Amino acid sequence: MVVVTGQNKVSATPDDAMSSSDAEDDFQEPATPTATQAGQALPLLPQQFPEVVPLNVGGMFFTTRLSTLRRYEDTMLAAMFSGRHYIPTDAEGRYFIDRDGTYFGDILNFLRSGDLPPRERVRSVYKEAQYYSIGPLLDNLEDIQPLKGEKVRQAFLGLMPYYKDHLERIVEIAKLRAMQRKARFAKLKVCVFKEEMPITPYECPHFNSLRFERSESETKLFEHHCEVDVSFGPWEAVADVYDLLHCIVSDLSARGIAVDHQCIGVCDKHLVNHYYCKRPIYEFKITWW
């Protein structure tokens, strides 16, 4: 006996039945890929650039020759416009570089004719030259002020143990004290000393050096820590205490921190016999707003 349910009948005649080969055909990829599929499957052709290249660098427009951008082979610009990388274009067809274009004109001027920026823009152009990996421009900028002087200054600061750590300590202490007092400014004591220990009349330093001979027991008599928040020194160089103070203030100011300082005396710690420490103590005032 045949039972008929309420479901639709499924015809099973040989003519209407779907063969396995037909079913497979329904699930095959189309012969011609879609645009999205083509973009994923097909490799991009090398990008072609015109001889005169219009540029949009962060919203600023420039025009230069392709040979100018490829002036130095080992630069990012040469790589970008080598054809190996895809560079997007804006609505006007300019090649877009997602970078602040303020100093890009200085970059182009160097690539065109070797011109260097004026002194007030040297630091900023140097950062851009680092980004674009333009070695010849970096070398030229490092040989002029203010970068040449900065190299000398950094050589001096290299003699300072934990210089950057001490700067961070000054900032952290000043911030903590200002927040605790709900104050606009904070004060802290800083010791800056060049010589490690005072020299008695019976001792003479080595020629052209701050070092001198002392027995281990005598050395321990002169060892102590001044009662200050941060201490810089000692070091061996012609640069003196005021030079280091200038570095400290300059580096703090470069971070947007307003700082004043004044000498408030010397450490009067008694060391041995009638000799005292005498390291200068400075009061630093950090103003936060």
Side-chain angles (χ1 to χ4, degrees):
M1 185 172 87
V2 178
V3 178
V4 180
T5 65
Q7 297 176 350
N8 295 331
K9 294 181 181 180
V10 178
S11 175
T13 61
D15 294 339
D16 295 332
M18 181 182 293
S19 67
S20 60
S21 61
D22 292 338
E24 291 176 357
D25 291 341
D26 286 347
F27 290 96
Q28 289 179 352
E29 294 290 339
T32 303
T34 63
T36 302
Q37 292 167 338
Q40 295 175 347
L42 299 177
L44 290 173
L45 296 175
Q47 192 171 12
Q48 301 296 321
F49 298 101
E51 180 60 29
V52 177
V53 183
L55 297 171
N56 178 346
V57 184
M60 300 183 67
F61 306 141
F62 302 89
T63 303
T64 189
R65 297 187 63 178
L66 182 61
S67 58
T68 299
L69 298 172
R70 297 174 176 176
R71 176 78 65 190
Y72 299 103
E73 294 182 356
D74 297 332
T75 67
M76 181 185 292
L77 287 173
M80 291 171 64
F81 289 90
S82 65
R84 301 190 303 270
H85 308 281
Y86 175 74
I87 302 178
T89 56
D90 63 13
E92 302 298 327
R94 304 181 186 92
Y95 295 97
F96 180 72
I97 300 176
D98 193 10
R99 183 77 176 174
D100 187 352
T102 303
Y103 302 102
F104 191 75
D106 292 301
I107 298 292
L108 285 181
N109 286 337
F110 177 80
L111 295 177
R112 288 165 176 155
S113 55
D115 292 343
L116 298 177
R119 178 171 178 172
E120 62 270 15
R121 295 206 300 268
V122 165
R123 292 182 186 274
S124 298
V125 175
Y126 186 82
K127 292 180 180 179
E128 294 303 297
Q130 287 179 314
Y131 176 79
Y132 293 111
S133 301
I134 306 176
L137 177 54
L138 291 171
D139 293 339
N140 277 272
L141 293 176
E142 288 174 356
D143 282 337
I144 62 176
Q145 289 286 47
L147 295 183
K148 192 177 184 69
E150 181 62 18
K151 290 176 66 175
V152 176
R153 192 180 80 100
Q154 290 300 327
F156 163 59
L157 292 178
L159 302 175
M160 300 296 110
Y162 312 111
Y163 175 77
K164 292 184 178 179
D165 293 337
H166 290 342
L167 285 184
E168 292 297 329
R169 181 168 173 78
I170 289 176
V171 174
E172 290 301 318
I173 292 175
K175 181 176 69 175
L176 181 61
R177 289 180 180 173
M179 293 180 67
Q180 289 175 340
R181 297 175 56 243
K182 308 298 187 293
R184 179 169 169 256
F185 62 87
K187 295 180 179 180
L188 61 161
K189 292 181 179 180
V190 177
C191 178
V192 181
F193 63 101
K194 183 174 180 179
E195 292 83 6
E196 186 172 5
M197 294 174 289
I199 303 175
T200 68
Y202 305 101
E203 298 168 317
C204 295
H206 294 306
F207 178 73
N208 200 27
S209 171
L210 298 175
R211 295 189 302 272
F212 49 88
E213 296 296 334
R214 239 180 209 157
S215 67
E216 184 176 350
S217 59
E218 290 174 331
T219 299
K220 290 183 177 180
L221 291 175
F222 286 84
E223 289 180 351
H224 82 290
H225 296 285
C226 302
E227 296 180 359
V228 294
D229 298 298
V230 182
S231 185
F232 291 86
W235 67 88
E236 290 190 39
V238 174
D240 59 20
V241 169
Y242 297 103
D243 296 317
L244 182 58
L245 284 170
H246 181 273
C247 291
I248 296 172
V249 174
S250 297
D251 288 337
L252 291 175
S253 299
R255 298 173 55 176
I257 298 174
V259 53
D260 294 312
H261 69 279
Q262 62 176 343
C263 183
I264 58 174
V266 296
C267 175
D268 58 357
K269 175 71 175 180
H270 179 254
L271 300 178
V272 60
N273 296 332
H274 58 281
Y275 294 100
Y276 295 80
C277 174
K278 301 303 181 183
R279 294 171 180 169
I281 307 298
Y282 295 85
E283 181 183 76
F284 274 55
K285 179 181 178 182
I286 307 295
T287 304
W288 291 108
W289 81 83

